[in-house]
Amino acid sequence: MTKLYLEDLAVGQKYQSGEYALTEEKIKQFASEYDPQPFHLDEQSALSHPVFRGLAGSGWQTAAITMRLWVESFPVAGGLVGFGGEVSWKRPTRPNDVLHVESEITELRRSQSKPNQGVITLFSQTKNQNDEVVQESTTKILVWSKDSGV
């Protein structure tokens, strides 16, 4: 895959990732290590939860899946180095969801003090197989120019 540089990017450009299949096993494995709450680990506990009403993936797992899908589909030279962002979870992920990410560059600026780099703002929606948004994020990402040596 060709690396993307500052000069290759523009406000309004859109990107769509490949897919990631989420299984019950993956939900429980992630939760057991990083977010060990009953509604991520146990179907019976999850059924009685007033928000989830069933086994749900951790929002942090959704964020990690989103990161993986970005890396696989948005090959920025030098890697995806984040400068911060905001994330919101719109609905729970469930076993057997198939996720993909749709992203758009909403802002791009070249650095005044370091002209061989810039920052883009990327708005992304992570969606399931029914095209329902499960996560939205706005992220600032470092990008390098072609003459940066990266």
Side-chain angles (χ1 to χ4, degrees), residues 67-149:
M67 184 70 206
R68 175 186 175 146
L69 293 171
W70 277 339
V71 169
E72 292 174 351
S73 65
F74 191 59
V76 174
L80 289 167
V81 178
F83 277 177
E86 294 181 19
V87 62
S88 60
W89 295 288
K90 303 299 185 178
R91 66 183 328 114
T93 54
R94 304 288 185 182
N96 304 313
D97 273 355
V98 178
L99 305 178
H100 72 277
V101 181
E102 298 175 9
S103 302
E104 180 177 355
I105 297 173
T106 58
E107 187 178 344
L108 182 150
R109 70 174 172 79
R110 186 179 291 268
S111 171
Q112 297 287 327
S113 61
K114 299 176 185 175
N116 67 340
Q117 59 186 259
V119 176
I120 62 167
T121 301
L122 194 64
F123 174 75
S124 299
Q125 292 184 314
T126 305
K127 297 181 176 182
N128 65 20
Q129 68 281 357
N130 300 317
D131 217 32
E132 298 166 324
V133 177
V134 296
Q135 176 184 287
E136 284 186 344
S137 60
T138 302
T139 311
K140 295 195 179 300
I141 299 170
L142 173 68
V143 291
W144 299 94
S145 67
K146 289 181 179 176
D147 64 358
S148 66

Side-chain angles (χ1 to χ4, degrees), residues 33-54:
E33 191 163 350
Y34 300 107
D35 192 354
Q37 299 186 76
F39 43 83
H40 299 319
L41 292 167
D42 178 69
E43 295 86 352
Q44 291 307 312
S45 294
L47 282 172
S48 63
H49 191 278
V51 172
F52 297 113
R53 301 191 195 286

